[in-house]
Amino acid sequence: MNASSIINDEMTLEEKLAAIDAAMANAQAQADEDAKASGGIAAPLDPADLTMCEGCQ
């Protein structure tokens, strides 16, 4: 997930937080759908995962 595609410098703090919340909800919904398709259960999304690159995780 690329932060620059979610937020920009022109947004207010409230708009940025709302955009991040929406992106997290969409990511969790997608994970839930993928898990259902494979017969599993999706774990809750850790917000810290969205603040670091995949290599750092």
Side-chain angles (χ1 to χ4, degrees):
M1 183 178 298
N2 186 353
S4 63
S5 67
I6 300 170
I7 60 174
N8 62 51
D9 292 336
E10 312 254 329
M11 299 170 87
T12 66
L13 176 60
E14 290 80 18
E15 290 172 331
K16 289 178 183 180
L17 293 173
I20 292 168
D21 284 343
M24 290 175 56
N26 288 338
Q28 185 65 52
Q30 184 63 45
D32 290 341
E33 286 181 27
D34 293 345
K36 284 181 185 177
S38 65
I41 299 172
L45 183 65
D46 181 4
D49 287 345
L50 300 175
T51 63
M52 63 181 117
C53 68
E54 290 181 18
C56 296
Q57 292 177 2

